[in-house]
Amino acid sequence: MIQDEQLLISLLEALPLPVLVIDHDLMLRYANQYALRLHDTQTPSLPLPLEQVLQNTALVQLVQKCIATGMTQSSTEDGDGVMWRATVTPLLSSTASPATQRPAYVVLTLEDLAAVRRAERAQRDFIANISHELRTPLTSVRLLAETLEDAIDTDPEKAQAFVEKIEVEVQYLTSLVAELLELSGLESGHVMMNMEPLEAERLVREVMARMLPLAQRHRVLLRTEIEQGKTLVVADSKQIPRVLVNLVHNAIKFTPSGGQIVIGTRRLPGQSLQSFFVRDTGVGIRPEELPRIFERFYKTNRSRTKEDFVGPGGGGAGLGLAIARQVVEAHGGRISAESTVGQGSTFLFTLPIAIRS
Ligand SMILES: Nc1ncnc2c1ncn2[C@@H]1O[C@H](COP(=O)(O)OP(=O)(O)O)[C@@H](O)[C@H]1O
Ligand SMILES: [Mg+2]
């Protein structure tokens, strides 16, 4: 079919997996770039005995078996962090005598299964997390409903209190489901950002106004810090304020009364990026937990009460920062956090600056 050898070689080089061609004397005849990269020493000059290149006896045996039987062989090595699926396929050349049944060459391909396994594990964790987050409030609702049934005739006041508690749980569940749908929409790229030039200062001031009542209720001071606020950023006028609201919401949640929260913006020197930040004097985040807080469902303190913080950004399921990251990255920005335990945290993200026409 394809006669051009160069074309065949280019084809093998283009494959995103290691490919090795071995002859029936167990000599390695060809290895594509991908395979050579796995070999830490210098590029070997071929042909070479396969055993010299592959230190893995099981793999060499797999190749031998393919040569002996003329049939495709495959095995999976799953353990110790290395996960490969090896497949050896005979190449029957048109000139080989059919009587011997011995293939002139065999091809060994190696597929990295680590990524597949990681995805499978993430999927399992995700389902386990959702189930956990749903079960806890559902159990409360069930228990509350049972108690309510008993109290409804005898103690109307107590019954009223139970109804309110049920409402809190239902609100939590509603916001959890809304956050899950939002995150899945963002992750699958189905949520379109409606980009327009927006004034950095206005974004900050609007969020400040929206969050002031909650901050006052929790007796934390909320103020702004604006440098070059007139700068126009390219952003979605609904999504970015929600990211800021989420960050301020978290800051209020994790800052004891008497503390201080700053919402700010400034231009990054020498770059066409505007930075937005939310800084608090709250409990802080331990260094080992810091890299994980943007993961779905990650919470540093699972025992915290959530009653006060139902609503946007405060669902308490650990999805707020994962959503924030998706939104910021969909804008071409980056989000990060810095923190010192006992002193406070700063969350910052960047947005591209609009080019004035
Ligand atoms: N300002 C903050 N100070 C301390 N910890 C924070 C702050 N913001 C977020 N965190 C930590 O990151 C976790 C994830 O935040 P988030 O995704 O918003 O989830 P949630 O608010 O539902 O707990 C929080 O549970 C908390 O442990
Ligand atoms: Mg949150």
Side-chain angles (χ1 to χ4, degrees), residues 250-251 253-254 280 283-285 293 298-301 313 316-321 345 347:
N250 279 347
K253 181 155 68 167
F254 296 104
D280 65 54
V283 295
I285 303 157
I293 54 171
Y298 193 82
K299 291 181 276 190
T300 55
N301 183 356
L319 292 175
L321 288 179
S345 314
F347 284 78

Side-chain angles (χ1 to χ4, degrees), residues 2 25 36 40 43 56 108 115 159 162 174 198 207 209 213-214 221 225 241 248 267 294 312 348:
I2 306 175
D25 292 322
L36 291 173
D40 3 278
T43 310
N56 186 319
L108 166 63
F162 284 129
T174 311
L198 301 170
V207 171
L214 189 70
L221 189 78
E225 217 175 83
V248 177
R267 190 177 175 149
F294 293 96
L348 40 140

